[in-house]
Amino acid sequence: MAQAADAALSSAGNPFAAPSALPYQAPPFDRIKDTDYQPAFEQGMAEQDADIAKITHDPAAPTFDNTIVALERSGRMLDRVNLAFGGVSAANTNATLDAVDQAETPRLSAHEDSIYLSKPLFARVRALHDQRAHLKLDPEQAQLLEVYYQQFVHAGVLLSDADQAKLRAINEKIASLETDFHQKLLAATKAGALVVHDRAALAGLDAATIDNAAEAAKARGLPGSWLIALQNTTPQPALEDMTDRATRQALFESSWTRAEKGDANDTRGTIATLAQLRAQKATLFGYPNYAAYVLYDQMAKTPEAVEHFIARLTPAVAAEQKREAAMLQAAIAQDHQSFTLKPWDWAHYAQIVRRAKYALDPDQVKPYFELHRVLEDGVFYAANQLYGLTFKRRTDIPVYQPDVMTYEVFDHDGSPLGLMYFDYFKRDNKSGGAWMSNFVNQSKLLGTRPVIYNVANFAKPAPGQPALISFDDATTMFHEFGHALHGLFADQTYPTLSGTAVARDFVEFPSQFNEHWALDPKVFAHYARHYQTGAPMPQMLVDKIKRAAKFDQGFVFGEIIEAAKLDMDWHALPASAPKQDVDAFEAASLGRMGLDTADVPPRYRSSYFLHIWSNGYSAGYYAYLWTEMLDDDVFFWFRSHGGLTRSNGQRFRDMILSRGHTMDYGPMFKAFYGQAPDIGPLLVNHGLNVTPN
């Protein structure tokens, strides 16, 4: 406690102590030092403790304003530091920030427990909930009261004192282990990079990729070598073009075993303990497993609904995988090779077949996707056509890393809407993947507009070279900006219900829907232009991209289904199950799937499945598939009603993007689409035209 007190005392003059004076209250990164975060966390928790004590011990009878609204207003400093630290520690960490993460995560968990396990505080919330029919609340207020009540119950406030003590201990251990996993994985991914000492081993890669690999090796103190950094997924982009099979195998195995080296960065012991603790936590609440505990407030509601959904997809995907594997084995034979198809061969020979079948060469395509043009003439243009938004580059807003770009966003009437940061290039100290979040959340109660960031891990070009990206990368930009739109259009009074504060199996719906505009003819023609000449992509190439979009879907869809099922299996474990041998558990899980997991491994292996062990998607990775069903349904609706129009965009904004969590997801979706979600458009969109059972 003395350490916490010392940290709190040292927070005088801390940049988080008061709202930022920058536009939109953006974090003052020019003033924030790494050493500011820990005292800000401690002071922020102390301030919220005081806020909560005032609410709890208020002698007046509970009202919506003195209890629920007061809870919404509490902890403002803690919110500011939490949001800034979450963004910077994920995208630009260092040893100091890692140490803060390790120290503060269990304290933050205990702090949250102190609020949501407080029986006197809950008594006030419960009193309001019991008389909610007579409080004359508007719909958003009624929803907020219901959400708070459920959060308290789900946190464990109704448990006995003995079970609450167990829960607090479990929560602290889980929080520490999740941080431990994240830091181990970041180090393992960095250490797992493939180092090549002979340029000939990189045959097939283009000159820019080889130059980038040389620069990466030099940055690691390995001049004269080449370094292929690992992406967060099992398949690695370079596998497509590498012609040396031994190098392909080495790169795949570097990815597959990155966190299973038996060293300090091996994550298997961490995740085995995490799975066990989560199962124990679920049992305290009377749930059979952690998946059932997690899904209570999701759109799917139950693990059985998720399993049924996945089972409906599997037959069509399994059939397509068999067809594709046979096709690739034939391509290997045509290449005068006699080996049996392996996972490190799939992407390479799929690329060969794709080029032969569609005459599509990625090297022909990349010059038409320059990152800044994709952003401004593609992503922003689509947002303008659908929603009337405009964007202005801001170079006067401080950033946490020099590569970060900032834009101010204006609504269709020219009024300020929000601020956005874009951090696209890979760094060794950045978590893998791509994501969106907020530095400032929208709230009419607090008078705040959204400050949002998009992060990705695209290869940074060599100095002086253009940032040419793949079409998949361009699609990722549209995806993450779909999340941003969900945050930018937030129109809530209360921060708890604002923007993307929705269920995991709903939050990916706007982002995946926004991907569709990457190939819309009007949008595509506006941004797919040669980086040197400005000439539009020839229609012949455009047609090839569109035809090839449904190619290799047995692999693309299969690896996601496998990861989703692996996640559900981990979180279906009962508390009575012994601590699992991670490798044996994973092998058994994959063996039950009915898919070609030998040739098509899961997108994430258990030992590097960041989504489920650290990023809040435990028992929730299926959400990417579920929300793709939702987004394909809605895109089908758009196409049936004129496509890319302002009126369609406004309807989507009004009925989905601006609603946050102000109503239940099923009715919200049905109000827009006109019926319950339909799996048909999802299968059609992936070229899997098999009638589901």
Side-chain angles (χ1 to χ4, degrees):
M1 294 298 294
Q3 181 182 2
D6 290 344
L9 286 172
S10 69
S11 68
N14 191 289
F16 295 106
S20 167
L22 291 171
Y24 302 91
Q25 298 185 24
F29 288 119
D30 55 336
R31 294 176 48 223
I32 297 170
K33 303 184 294 295
D34 291 343
T35 53
D36 289 327
Y37 288 107
Q38 189 157 12
F41 273 123
E42 296 296 338
Q43 182 64 23
M45 285 187 279
E47 288 184 6
Q48 189 168 36
D49 284 342
D51 295 338
I52 297 301
K54 185 176 180 181
I55 298 167
T56 303
H57 302 298
D58 188 341
T63 66
F64 187 82
D65 283 342
N66 71 16
T67 301
I68 303 301
V69 174
L71 283 168
E72 289 291 272
R73 292 185 181 277
S74 71
R76 292 300 96 210
M77 181 177 180
L78 182 58
D79 192 50
R80 289 190 290 272
V81 64
N82 238 332
L83 291 172
F85 183 79
V88 175
S89 63
N92 203 48
T93 195
N94 56 43
T96 300
L97 298 183
D98 285 349
V100 173
D101 205 7
Q102 286 278 13
E104 294 301 317
T105 296
R107 293 177 192 165
L108 288 164
S109 175
H111 172 72
E112 186 169 328
D113 281 347
S114 73
I115 297 171
Y116 286 99
L117 297 181
S118 168
K119 294 186 178 182
L121 178 59
F122 177 65
R124 298 181 68 86
V125 175
R126 189 175 198 170
L128 293 169
H129 190 261
D130 288 347
Q131 56 184 296
R132 61 192 181 280
H134 308 291
L135 295 179
K136 298 182 180 179
L137 303 177
D138 66 33
E140 185 177 346
Q141 291 172 328
Q143 175 76 348
L144 182 64
L145 176 56
E146 184 64 29
V147 167
Y148 262 110
Y149 179 81
Q150 293 296 338
Q151 284 179 342
F152 272 91
V153 171
H154 200 64
V157 74
L158 296 179
L159 297 178
S160 68
D161 290 344
D163 280 347
Q164 277 199 6
K166 292 178 186 176
L167 179 64
R168 291 174 191 268
I170 288 173
N171 284 346
E172 285 198 40
K173 289 177 185 175
I174 286 175
S176 292
L177 287 170
E178 287 176 350
T179 299
D180 184 54
F181 173 84
H182 185 272
Q183 294 184 356
K184 282 183 176 180
L185 179 57
L186 187 63
T189 300
K190 179 179 178 180
L194 179 67
V195 178
V196 174
H197 302 292
D198 181 0
R199 183 187 173 107
L202 300 179
L205 299 182
D206 61 42
T209 300
I210 293 174
D211 288 346
N212 286 343
E215 288 289 329
K218 190 184 300 181
R220 297 265 191 106
L222 299 168
S225 299
W226 294 263
L227 183 143
I228 307 294
L230 296 180
Q231 299 283 6
N232 63 321
T233 53
T234 298
Q236 299 297 306
L239 291 173
E240 286 190 358
D241 296 319
M242 284 179 170
T243 56
D244 186 286
R245 190 171 190 240
T247 310
R248 289 201 306 269
Q249 181 175 354
L251 179 57
F252 176 87
E253 290 179 347
S254 293
S255 174
W256 187 247
T257 64
R258 72 183 76 180
E260 298 194 357
K261 305 289 189 187
D263 58 8
N265 297 326
D266 193 307
T267 63
R268 286 173 291 184
T270 302
I271 65 178
T273 304
L274 264 174
Q276 199 170 44
L277 287 169
R278 287 173 176 174
Q280 291 169 9
K281 177 175 177 175
T283 299
L284 289 175
F285 289 85
Y287 287 97
N289 53 55
Y290 193 71
Y293 170 78
V294 165
L295 290 167
Y296 86 102
D297 66 342
Q298 303 295 296
M299 192 173 177
K301 302 295 185 188
T302 67
E304 291 76 21
V306 174
E307 294 286 357
H308 178 65
F309 169 67
I310 291 175
R312 294 177 70 199
L313 298 175
T314 301
V317 174
E320 182 64 14
Q321 285 183 334
K322 288 180 181 177
R323 191 188 70 79
E324 290 174 4
M327 178 176 62
L328 298 186
Q329 192 65 58
I332 291 170
Q334 290 170 5
D335 196 30
H336 307 292
Q337 304 292 329
S338 58
F339 55 79
T340 301
L341 177 69
K342 295 291 184 183
W344 48 87
D345 302 314
W346 189 292
H348 180 66
Y349 282 93
Q351 182 77 292
I352 289 174
V353 172
R354 182 187 287 109
R355 287 177 175 175
K357 189 171 183 177
Y358 303 104
L360 180 61
D361 183 349
D363 292 339
Q364 288 181 287
V365 169
K366 261 191 173 183
Y368 293 91
F369 298 128
E370 195 278 321
L371 183 145
H372 295 88
R373 177 163 251 157
V374 173
L375 179 63
E376 296 189 345
D377 294 345
V379 174
F380 291 172
Y381 176 73
N384 173 264
Q385 296 299 294
L386 284 165
Y387 312 110
L389 302 187
T390 53
F391 303 82
K392 178 185 177 183
R393 181 77 185 269
R394 296 288 298 259
T395 57
D396 58 328
I397 304 292
V399 294
Y400 57 85
Q401 205 279 341
D403 289 338
V404 179
M405 302 179 292
T406 312
Y407 288 81
E408 188 171 9
V409 187
F410 298 91
D411 212 338
H412 60 87
D413 60 359
S415 61
L417 186 62
L419 192 66
M420 277 215 62
Y421 297 70
F422 297 89
D423 181 1
Y424 281 136
F425 296 127
K426 183 172 178 59
R427 295 185 288 274
D428 282 343
N429 64 341
K430 181 191 278 192
S431 295
W435 62 93
M436 163 271 178
S437 194
N438 284 47
F439 284 132
V440 179
N441 293 319
Q442 178 274 338
S443 167
K444 294 176 186 174
L445 176 72
L446 304 176
T448 51
R449 292 193 180 104
V451 177
I452 293 171
Y453 54 90
N454 278 177
V455 182
N457 271 277
F458 306 147
K460 187 174 181 178
Q465 296 301 307
L468 303 182
I469 61 176
S470 68
F471 180 65
D472 283 348
D473 292 339
T475 303
T476 295
M477 292 169 67
F478 277 85
H479 176 102
E480 297 306 332
F481 195 74
H483 283 306
L485 289 169
H486 201 184
L488 287 167
F489 290 147
D491 191 28
Q492 280 65 62
T493 298
Y494 304 106
T496 291
L497 305 179
S498 180
T500 58
V502 297
R504 286 185 299 272
D505 61 5
F506 197 81
V507 75
E508 296 295 335
F509 161 33
S511 56
Q512 295 193 147
F513 169 74
N514 204 56
E515 290 181 26
H516 289 284
W517 304 114
L519 263 180
D520 177 84
K522 186 177 181 181
V523 176
F524 191 85
H526 201 258
Y527 75 87
R529 293 177 172 271
H530 198 281
Y531 78 98
Q532 290 174 314
T533 67
M537 181 181 287
Q539 190 59 44
M540 174 188 66
L541 273 182
V542 178
D543 293 341
K544 289 176 181 178
I545 289 174
K546 290 182 176 180
R547 287 197 301 269
K550 293 180 181 178
F551 176 73
D552 205 29
Q553 291 301 293
F555 184 97
V556 172
F557 215 43
E559 65 167 357
I560 297 174
I561 291 176
E562 291 162 13
K565 189 67 172 67
L566 185 59
D567 168 32
M568 292 302 293
D569 285 354
W570 271 113
H571 293 105
L573 285 168
S576 59
K579 189 172 181 178
Q580 299 296 304
D581 177 292
V582 172
D583 294 341
F585 179 90
E586 180 177 277
S589 173
L590 295 176
R592 292 191 299 267
M593 288 185 186
L595 294 169
D596 181 7
T597 56
D599 297 322
V600 184
R603 185 167 179 79
Y604 304 99
R605 198 177 188 189
S606 301
S607 57
Y608 49 87
F609 207 160
L610 182 64
H611 284 77
I612 68 170
W613 300 122
S614 186
N615 277 4
Y617 270 71
S618 50
Y621 192 73
Y622 78 91
Y624 286 95
L625 298 166
W626 183 277
T627 52
E628 190 166 355
M629 171 178 64
L630 304 182
D631 88 70
D632 284 340
D633 285 352
V634 168
F635 189 64
F636 175 80
W637 183 94
F638 263 72
R639 286 189 300 178
S640 302
H641 291 80
L644 183 85
T645 68
R646 276 285 291 114
S647 60
N648 285 346
Q650 192 65 43
R651 185 174 187 269
F652 189 58
R653 173 179 179 172
D654 291 343
M655 299 180 74
I656 301 290
L657 294 178
S658 66
R659 299 304 295 269
H661 188 199
T662 57
M663 64 183 293
D664 288 344
Y665 309 113
M668 188 192 301
F669 179 84
K670 191 173 182 180
F672 184 93
Y673 187 51
Q675 64 182 64
D678 171 18
I679 203 171
L682 172 63
L683 293 172
V684 170
N685 189 51
H686 283 273
L688 302 169
N689 301 339
V690 177
T691 302
N693 296 325

